[in-house]
Amino acid sequence: MASANGYSPRSSGCPCGACKFLRRKCTSECIFAPYFCCEEGPARFAAIHKVFGAGNVSKMLLNLPVHDRHDAVVAIAYEAQARIIDPVYGCVSHIFALQQQVASLQAQLMQVKAQQIISQSLEEGTKNLENQCCSINDVMTIQCQSYSNKRMTSYHLGERQETSLGMTGNYH
């Protein structure tokens, strides 16, 4: 019976980490063998045994489908380590700390997004202002050109009137 990590009690000849910790003979039917290798397993199993007990963990694993057992062992080991560090809250204190970190990061993200929106608004406002200035300048140029054309036209009209008045003799 080989595990996901390649451990098989028959091929290595040494007991699994759980059986090594419990000082018992590891059989081919050992529920712990696929999840606790003989090198690292005893230390990992020690916390699980101290918090939950070998019998309770064995019963939990037997009640789970085989494909879910590895994830369950990882979760149980994590909870056991957390319970040893913090007997009251266990991994709940880790979860709470992570939730606070997520909330803090979300607040920072919102601030950055708000600053980005303000920055974009200022850029767009500057562009709009430049466009408005250009359009005002264009309007003023057009008005000045129109005014110049009118002056030129009135200047030419005045010259013509002057010529016609000179011909008629009514010129001063």
Side-chain angles (χ1 to χ4, degrees):
M1 149 167 94
S3 71
N5 60 8
Y7 173 75
S8 175
R10 289 184 187 179
S11 66
S12 68
C14 71
C16 71
C19 291
K20 198 176 208 182
F21 177 80
L22 297 171
R23 297 182 179 159
R24 65 181 188 191
K25 184 175 178 178
C26 189
T27 64
S28 59
E29 295 84 30
C30 178
I31 189 75
F32 301 119
Y35 314 107
F36 300 98
C37 66
C38 62
E39 291 87 25
E40 300 167 0
R44 192 169 155 211
F45 188 77
I48 293 173
H49 178 66
K50 182 176 183 179
V51 174
F52 296 107
N56 290 330
V57 175
S58 174
K59 289 175 191 173
M60 283 189 269
L61 292 177
L62 287 172
N63 289 326
L64 290 172
V66 176
H67 64 275
D68 290 337
R69 289 179 183 173
H70 178 71
D71 292 335
V73 168
V74 170
I76 291 167
Y78 183 79
E79 176 65 26
Q81 289 294 329
R83 286 278 173 191
I84 288 173
I85 294 168
D86 186 355
V88 175
Y89 293 108
C91 69
V92 173
S93 62
H94 292 263
I95 293 168
F96 183 70
L98 290 172
Q99 285 175 337
Q100 286 182 328
Q101 187 177 5
V102 166
S104 172
L105 292 172
Q106 285 175 335
Q108 289 176 7
L109 180 63
M110 294 297 285
Q111 284 180 330
V112 169
K113 284 183 178 182
Q115 288 174 349
Q116 184 181 16
I117 290 170
I118 290 169
S119 176
Q120 286 175 347
S121 296
L122 289 175
E123 285 178 17
E124 289 175 6
T126 304
K127 287 179 184 176
N128 288 339
L129 186 59
E130 288 173 359
N131 290 340
Q132 288 175 356
C133 288
C134 290
S135 59
I136 288 171
N137 287 338
D138 293 342
V139 169
M140 289 176 65
T141 304
I142 292 169
Q143 287 177 346
C144 289
Q145 287 174 348
S146 174
Y147 179 72
S148 296
N149 289 342
K150 286 180 186 175
R151 276 190 92 191
M152 292 284 279
T153 306
S154 65
Y155 172 75
H156 290 297
L157 283 175
E159 207 175 51
R160 287 183 189 150
Q161 286 173 345
E162 200 174 295
T163 308
S164 65
L165 288 175
M167 293 174 124
T168 57
N170 294 335
Y171 183 70
H172 301 209

